[in-house]
Amino acid sequence: GTAGKLASGKCPKTENLDEALAKVEKSNHWKTSAFKNHGKILNYWLMKSEPESRMEKGVDVKFSIEDLKAQPKQTACWDGVRNYQARNFLRTMKVEDEAFFYHSNCKQPGIVGLVKIVKEAYPDYTQFEKNNPHYDPSSKEDNPKWSMVDVQFVRMMKRFISLAELKAYHQAHRVTGGPLKNMALFIHQRLSVQPLTQEEFDFILSLEEMEPN
């Protein structure tokens, strides 16, 4: 199950949340590559969301990059992540980190655009909403299990970069030792939030200038 955010667009006001989040455990054995950018250490991510309507408990979980662009300030909360590893990645994200917006579970999966993180992890309010498909009765308000971040639209890719194209490079790079040889998209397929190394991120950006192979 890929979890995107719900298209409610209602991100709660959470400025005065307590510091509980500050204490959450840091991502375990994953070492995401961090690199300097304007003197800041940035991480790079791939975030999957479903662009086609799919009903879950009577709610449409569709959230495409067009839906993000239509939000006020082109910003939305990335709710609905219910996998511990993906959640841990959300919790390590920093403001200004960049991510590819990936359309999944659709006829043409692939990378459609770029977003940036504009608010670091805070409790995902959907875990407490009984009528929400992502409701988690085992999560307690004083110790929330699930987190979300806010993302803002940066730009569309200059061209759509399909899963099939990325897979072809991944398979070739496994032989040649190229940049996508260990890309999480193929090693940890089920994760809806995945880290990218700077090498992977830069290589994928370079594909924009090339004809699809």
Side-chain angles (χ1 to χ4, degrees):
T2 349
K5 72 167 286 316
L6 296 174
S8 66
K10 291 197 280 287
C11 295
K13 292 277 173 285
T14 52
E15 282 76 57
N16 41 16
L17 265 174
D18 58 32
E19 296 306 293
L21 284 205
K23 298 198 292 273
V24 300
E25 75 273 3
K26 288 288 167 258
S27 183
N28 47 20
H29 59 281
W30 287 78
K31 293 283 178 280
T32 53
S33 318
F35 291 88
K36 297 220 178 291
N37 186 305
H38 315 301
K40 290 184 74 168
I41 292 202
L42 280 197
N43 289 303
Y44 300 96
W45 309 94
L46 182 145
M47 301 176 77
K48 296 181 180 181
S49 191
E50 298 186 38
E52 293 172 8
S53 286
R54 182 172 68 82
M55 300 308 281
E56 219 175 272
K57 297 186 191 164
V59 177
D60 193 348
V61 295
K62 167 186 184 290
F63 189 70
S64 68
I65 197 161
E66 290 75 22
D67 293 327
L68 176 61
K69 283 175 72 174
Q71 297 286 333
K73 295 184 183 165
Q74 300 187 313
T75 299
C77 44
W78 200 270
D79 62 50
V81 170
R82 294 295 180 272
N83 166 287
Y84 286 108
Q85 187 66 70
R87 176 207 68 182
N88 290 348
F89 288 138
L90 288 176
R91 289 177 174 182
T92 63
M93 289 177 172
K94 298 278 180 267
V95 168
E96 297 297 328
D97 278 4
E98 293 186 344
F100 287 124
F101 194 116
Y102 180 97
H103 279 174
S104 74
N105 203 16
C106 57
K107 289 187 267 303
Q108 266 258 296
I111 294 171
V112 289
L114 268 177
V115 299
K116 67 178 178 180
I117 308 308
V118 291
K119 183 183 173 85
E120 290 169 18
Y122 60 104
D124 177 349
Y125 64 96
T126 64
Q127 65 196 309
F128 304 122
E129 295 182 338
K130 286 195 172 64
N131 58 349
N132 194 290
H134 301 297
Y135 174 60
D136 182 351
S138 71
S139 186
K140 303 287 174 265
E141 299 249 2
D142 57 355
N143 185 21
K145 247 186 213 180
W146 305 109
S147 302
M148 62 186 180
V149 297
D150 289 358
V151 304
Q152 184 171 41
F153 176 80
V154 174
R155 66 174 177 85
M156 298 299 287
M157 299 298 280
K158 293 173 190 168
R159 69 175 182 85
F160 174 71
I161 297 173
S162 70
L163 171 62
E165 182 177 353
L166 291 167
K167 186 170 190 174
Y169 279 110
H170 167 66
Q171 288 173 333
H173 289 179
R174 282 172 61 191
V175 178
T176 62
L180 300 193
K181 61 182 181 293
N182 295 320
M183 190 179 179
L185 187 60
F186 305 104
I187 316 278
H188 302 280
Q189 281 111 324
R190 293 189 59 75
L191 280 179
S192 64
V193 178
Q194 312 177 344
L196 291 167
T197 64
Q198 180 155 34
E199 191 186 26
E200 290 166 345
F201 183 82
D202 290 345
F203 178 81
I204 293 166
L205 278 185
S206 77
L207 295 177
E208 286 187 303
E209 311 297 339
M210 296 158 63
E211 293 297 313
N213 54 8

